[in-house]
Amino acid sequence: MPLHKRKPFPLADPPKDLDPNELVYQVRFTKEIFRDYQEYLNRLNLYRQRLWTCKVTGKINLTYEEALVSEHNATERVQQFPSELVPRVLNMIQYSTLNLTDLINEIHTNLQKNLYEGIELHAKKGESVCACRIIEVMKDGEIAQCKVGWLDKLRQVTDVTVVSVEDLVRKKPPFSRSFLKAFIRESTCRISPWLVHEKLAKKHGILTDQLAGQNRVIDISRDSKKSGTKNKLGNQNFRPHQKKRKTENGHESENQVEEPIIYPIDDLLVKPSADDPNYADRPSPSTDFQVPMDCVGDLLMVWNFFTSFGRLLHLWPFSLEDFENAITHKDSELMLILESHSAILKFLIRDGGDYFTAIQNKRQKLKVKLTNWANYLCHFLEMRNKPELSDHIPIIKRGHYGLLDIHVKLGILRELVAEALITSAIRDKLDDCIEQKKILLARRREEVKTNKEQYLQKEGDHHTKEVNPERMLVNGKRNYVNSTIGSVPKYHNGDLKANGKVQSVYRKLIMENGKLPGRIEAKDDENQDKISINEQREHLEREIEKLSIRTNCIGKDRSYNRYWFFRREGRLFVESLDSSKWGYYSTKEELDALIGSLNEKGVRERDLKRQLEKYYVKISTALQKRSKDIAQKALMDEGELRRSARVRSQPRCSPAMAFHKYTNKWKEKPKQSKRHKKGHTLNLIFVEGTSP
């Protein structure tokens, strides 16, 4: 059966009390039966994803049906394995502790060097070399001979003679390594050590409880490994560590001792134990999106593109909330929609690619305006020639873009973004960011190395100075103070002397400030050095972050849900495994509860927790800022509503309608200063969107 995440995947059990006349849903290639249509669709969608692995060949990134076909074909090839060699190869496989590659090489080399009955090769027959099959290996002292059967074109034996070993010729191996790999995978049920299937072992007489005919080296205990000795097992009986357990009948049975689990392991294998901490309940993410659930992914992708490459597009950034409101609005004259489409169409024309050629062939002017952008958008859809989008060209030409379905709007933007991503300008931008990021990373490594050397040098100089041997810890830092607060240490500068008055003053200073007199100024200098180093490090990190245009997934939880954080959006998004469901966390309390619910015994949740803790300050700050902005908007809405009730007019200035007020500030020409008039270029500052 195909493997899912490198593990066997159990098929669904048939429904209980199934009526022969009942209408059900059946998966064609697994014969699974479902009563519920949604369960049937979920299972079918899972099978269609490229998450499956062929158990026999090891091929990955297959659909379930492709993996089934691959296993079937590989199994048929394995059936062609020479029956005479099957017992010998299985003996080499049984209880071997080698990895798959080394085991294949060992068997392949063994079969190449040694002669076995049943293998086919070539031998000298007169003055020619003909194909033959070894029938019997005969050895008389040091002289070895073989009884071979000569083969015709149909691989049938026509004659039998005895030839010497020197007359045998190997033109090619008995089978390829890939063929042997498929045979090993098909014949075994476990690795490390390898175990042959029980039925196959009984059929060919392979021992299941001992090693026969092989001198294998197996480390049984850690003590033997530490001492460098190895237990060599020849024809001795080999049994793994076992313990006895009484059955229901009172008889004792032997069971293999379970090895201690070394965490982290796959999250789905983690089981609750008594020593687990009290994990917090994982909060349910919010799902109150205005767009349909299956459109959230496209919405985030398009918005992130506009935010990351806004400077190249000459498009002023806008919030995700405004973009979502604009997409769902039925008005065809929204400035945010007009500007975003016009900006990307102008960008494609400036690039001089396929779209530029298509516009030239139609003899259109190469100037996109807010009044004619719909015509250029129709030309683009005709060029892409996708029926699900091009069928809506008449509606767009009539000026009713806002009436299109949300799926169509985001589908059009998705195609525009896909075309823009392959332009030379985007590629050049990415190449520049990569090169600059490499330089900054090298600079950061150099600074870390320099700071480390300076720290070690200061530590060396510090230990060479004469200090008071009696020390204590104050506020977690080592200060040179007598362990008894009543006695005063004597410094070389003679500022303090051991008399009663000085002792009382000294004691008071320590209790109030927790600092040593005479050392405060020096310590402040050290703090200043540390602050300047931290500021430089933070500045360098910010510069590196600005160059990280691509948004990467923060991590996955035990159910393979992916977590996304966008720098200009104060929400932490959650995407399901099949991308069919989305949600988000919007408060710091939800973030804390999420971190507290992650089990570090699992590989995925451990990595996710570390990433969330690494960027905790950044994410929590963004969440708090968004919550504060929402509260302020609510107050403004309430105030605007009260004023509008008094004057009987609609609250056009409501923050919820902010997307109506969007203006593309890149179009505004900045005032030329004296410095600008002399030939200097005035650049607008725009920070690219990044992710942690």
Side-chain angles (χ1 to χ4, degrees):
M1 296 296 291
L3 303 178
H4 182 258
K5 305 298 180 183
R6 299 184 179 180
K7 293 179 176 59
F9 184 80
L11 298 180
D13 296 330
K16 297 180 180 179
D17 303 329
L18 190 63
D19 187 356
N21 298 323
E22 183 179 355
L23 296 178
V24 294
Y25 304 96
Q26 185 181 46
V27 180
R28 172 176 48 82
F29 39 84
T30 63
K31 307 304 180 184
E32 292 175 291
I33 297 175
F34 298 90
R35 279 196 177 105
D36 184 65
Y37 182 66
Q38 189 60 43
E39 292 181 3
Y40 164 76
L41 283 182
N42 293 339
R43 183 58 64 96
L44 196 60
N45 289 334
L46 178 61
Y47 287 150
R48 288 173 177 172
Q49 296 184 45
R50 296 193 172 276
L51 304 172
W52 302 91
T53 302
C54 174
K55 180 182 178 181
V56 181
T57 62
K59 293 181 180 179
I60 61 174
N61 297 331
L62 303 175
T63 64
Y64 190 93
E65 193 169 9
E66 290 173 348
L68 276 179
V69 174
S70 177
E71 288 184 0
H72 176 72
N73 295 336
T75 303
E76 287 187 347
R77 292 196 302 271
V78 169
Q79 299 302 325
Q80 302 173 5
F81 199 90
S83 58
E84 297 83 358
L85 296 180
V86 170
R88 299 182 182 275
V89 174
L90 292 180
N91 267 318
M92 299 182 203
I93 296 172
Q94 185 75 324
Y95 290 116
S96 174
T97 57
L98 300 174
N99 59 44
L100 181 58
T101 303
D102 294 339
L103 181 60
I104 292 172
N105 293 334
E106 180 186 278
I107 297 175
H108 198 268
T109 303
N110 195 318
L111 295 178
Q112 278 286 89
K113 291 182 178 180
N114 301 323
L115 298 175
Y116 300 100
E117 297 177 0
I119 63 174
E120 296 182 1
L121 36 70
H122 292 74
K124 295 180 181 179
K125 186 178 183 182
E127 296 181 356
S128 61
V129 178
C130 302
C132 64
R133 179 184 299 139
I134 296 179
I135 299 177
E136 184 181 356
V137 178
M138 302 177 295
K139 190 172 184 181
D140 185 8
E142 297 181 356
I143 301 175
Q145 292 180 328
C146 295
K147 182 186 290 187
V148 300
W150 303 102
L151 304 178
D152 57 10
K153 294 182 179 180
L154 300 177
R155 318 302 294 176
Q156 300 295 325
V157 177
T158 58
D159 190 15
V160 178
T161 58
V162 177
V163 299
S164 62
V165 176
E166 289 77 7
D167 293 335
L168 298 176
V169 179
R170 291 182 183 269
K171 289 189 175 182
K172 61 179 181 179
F175 35 72
S176 64
R177 283 180 168 82
S178 60
F179 183 75
L180 183 58
K181 178 181 178 181
F183 177 79
I184 294 174
R185 287 181 177 273
E186 179 68 16
S187 306
T188 56
C189 60
R190 199 186 74 179
I191 63 175
S192 187
W194 293 91
L195 290 181
V196 178
H197 287 295
E198 186 176 356
K199 292 183 180 179
L200 192 62
K202 290 181 179 180
K203 178 181 178 181
H204 296 281
I206 309 300
L207 298 179
T208 57
D209 59 349
Q210 62 182 3
L211 296 177
Q214 300 290 334
N215 285 335
R216 306 212 181 273
V217 178
I218 299 179
D219 292 338
I220 294 182
S221 64
R222 295 184 179 178
D223 296 336
S224 63
K225 187 174 182 180
K226 291 180 180 178
S227 59
T229 61
K230 296 182 179 180
N231 298 316
K232 296 185 178 181
L233 303 178
N235 293 328
Q236 304 172 1
N237 291 337
F238 166 74
R239 293 180 183 274
H241 296 293
Q242 295 176 339
K243 66 179 180 179
K244 294 183 177 181
R245 186 181 63 181
K246 289 187 177 181
T247 61
E248 296 179 356
N249 299 329
H251 300 289
E252 292 183 348
S253 63
E254 293 182 348
N255 293 311
Q256 187 174 351
V257 176
E258 295 183 359
E259 297 181 357
I261 301 176
I262 301 177
Y263 295 105
I265 60 176
D266 187 86
D267 299 69
L268 299 179
L269 300 178
V270 176
K271 297 180 180 179
S273 59
D275 59 343
D276 285 344
N278 293 326
Y279 295 106
D281 294 333
R282 185 163 304 178
S284 299
S286 303
T287 58
D288 54 341
F289 298 103
Q290 297 190 37
V291 299
M293 185 62 70
D294 56 345
C295 292
V296 177
D298 289 339
L299 179 79
L300 290 172
M301 183 272 294
V302 173
W303 172 79
N304 191 43
F305 172 81
F306 283 142
T307 304
S308 300
F309 297 99
R311 187 166 189 172
L312 285 178
L313 300 174
H314 297 167
L315 182 67
W316 197 257
F318 42 81
S319 67
L320 177 61
E321 184 178 1
D322 288 348
F323 183 55
E324 186 177 12
N325 289 330
I327 285 292
T328 57
H329 208 273
K330 298 298 183 181
D331 189 359
S332 300
E333 300 297 329
L334 286 177
M335 193 57 61
L336 192 151
I337 296 296
L338 302 182
E339 290 287 0
S340 58
H341 284 77
S342 300
I344 196 168
L345 291 171
K346 292 177 183 177
F347 176 77
L348 293 177
I349 292 177
R350 289 198 304 269
D351 183 70
D354 295 339
Y355 180 64
F356 173 79
T357 304
I359 295 298
Q360 280 190 327
N361 293 338
K362 291 183 176 293
R363 297 181 180 180
Q364 293 286 331
K365 295 182 179 180
L366 302 178
K367 191 172 183 180
V368 181
K369 300 179 181 179
L370 297 180
T371 56
N372 63 357
W373 68 275
N375 295 330
Y376 289 88
L377 179 60
C378 293
H379 296 328
F380 173 80
L381 296 178
E382 292 173 356
M383 181 191 74
R384 300 294 282 190
N385 193 23
K386 289 195 173 184
E388 64 272 16
L389 301 179
S390 57
D391 290 346
H392 302 278
I393 290 179
I395 298 177
I396 299 175
K397 286 185 176 180
R398 289 196 296 268
H400 300 305
Y401 174 87
L403 300 179
L404 295 177
D405 187 72
I406 297 175
H407 294 82
V408 178
K409 293 180 181 179
L410 288 174
I412 293 173
L413 287 170
R414 186 178 62 243
E415 293 299 321
L416 288 169
V417 170
E419 185 71 19
L421 286 174
I422 62 175
T423 59
S424 57
I426 295 291
R427 290 198 301 268
D428 293 343
K429 174 66 175 178
L430 294 175
D431 291 340
D432 292 341
C433 290
I434 292 173
E435 292 299 325
Q436 295 178 29
K437 191 173 181 180
K438 286 181 179 178
I439 296 174
L440 291 179
L441 290 175
R443 178 183 167 189
R444 183 175 66 180
R445 289 192 298 267
E446 188 66 26
E447 288 187 358
V448 170
K449 182 179 178 181
T450 303
N451 293 335
K452 184 178 180 180
E453 292 175 353
Q454 291 177 355
Y455 173 78
L456 294 176
Q457 184 178 1
K458 288 182 180 180
E459 285 292 317
D461 296 341
H462 172 71
H463 286 294
T464 59
K465 295 180 180 180
E466 182 179 359
V467 297
N468 193 338
E470 299 180 354
R471 295 173 292 180
M472 67 176 292
L473 292 176
V474 177
N475 294 332
K477 297 184 179 180
R478 194 174 296 276
N479 290 300
Y480 296 93
V481 187
N482 264 355
S483 59
T484 305
I485 198 169
S487 61
V488 183
K490 296 181 180 180
Y491 292 96
H492 294 284
N493 55 14
D495 290 338
L496 296 176
K497 295 183 179 179
N499 55 59
K501 294 182 179 180
V502 175
Q503 285 183 5
S504 61
V505 174
Y506 178 79
R507 186 185 302 111
K508 184 178 179 181
L509 287 172
I510 292 181
M511 295 182 67
E512 290 180 353
N513 303 321
K515 299 179 181 179
L516 290 174
R519 291 294 181 96
I520 297 177
E521 183 178 356
K523 193 170 182 181
D524 288 342
D525 292 340
E526 294 178 1
N527 290 336
Q528 290 296 330
D529 293 339
K530 291 181 181 179
I531 291 174
S532 60
I533 293 174
N534 291 335
E535 288 179 349
Q536 294 175 4
R537 186 183 298 113
E538 291 175 359
H539 174 73
L540 187 59
E541 291 295 335
R542 287 194 298 270
E543 293 299 320
I544 294 174
E545 185 180 346
K546 291 177 184 179
L547 298 173
S548 301
I549 294 181
R550 180 180 178 181
T551 301
N552 295 317
C553 171
I554 294 180
K556 303 176 183 178
D557 60 17
R558 69 187 311 271
S559 302
Y560 294 95
N561 297 319
R562 292 178 287 269
Y563 290 76
W564 301 87
F565 177 72
F566 302 92
R567 183 174 178 270
R568 291 182 176 272
E569 176 59 29
R571 285 179 282 183
L572 179 65
F573 290 90
V574 188
E575 178 189 10
S576 64
L577 173 62
D578 56 357
S579 303
S580 61
K581 296 181 180 179
W582 285 83
Y584 66 86
Y585 297 115
S586 58
T587 65
K588 182 177 178 294
E589 292 73 19
E590 291 177 336
L591 176 63
D592 295 337
L594 171 63
I595 296 176
S597 67
L598 299 175
N599 192 338
E600 290 188 312
K601 289 184 177 180
V603 178
R604 293 184 295 278
E605 293 204 349
R606 181 194 62 167
D607 295 339
L608 175 60
K609 185 174 183 179
R610 290 184 177 180
Q611 288 296 103
L612 290 175
E613 289 175 347
K614 179 180 179 181
Y615 299 105
Y616 177 79
V617 175
K618 182 184 298 182
I619 297 176
S620 60
T621 302
L623 297 181
Q624 289 176 318
K625 182 179 182 301
R626 182 176 183 273
S627 300
K628 185 178 179 180
D629 292 342
I630 291 176
Q632 291 179 350
K633 288 181 180 180
L635 292 176
M636 293 178 64
D637 285 341
E638 183 179 356
E640 187 66 27
L641 186 62
R642 291 175 180 176
R643 288 193 296 270
S644 62
R646 290 195 299 268
V647 300
R648 300 182 182 277
S649 61
Q650 295 296 326
R652 294 292 298 174
C653 298
S654 171
M657 309 295 287
F659 65 98
H660 283 284
K661 294 184 175 182
Y662 173 79
T663 55
N664 189 6
K665 297 181 181 180
W666 280 108
K667 289 186 173 183
E668 298 178 0
K669 295 183 179 180
K671 297 180 180 180
Q672 292 187 351
S673 61
K674 295 180 180 179
R675 184 180 181 184
H676 180 65
K677 292 179 180 179
K678 293 181 180 179
H680 295 277
T681 305
L682 182 62
N683 294 324
L684 294 176
I685 300 176
F686 178 71
V687 180
E688 302 287 358
T690 59
S691 71

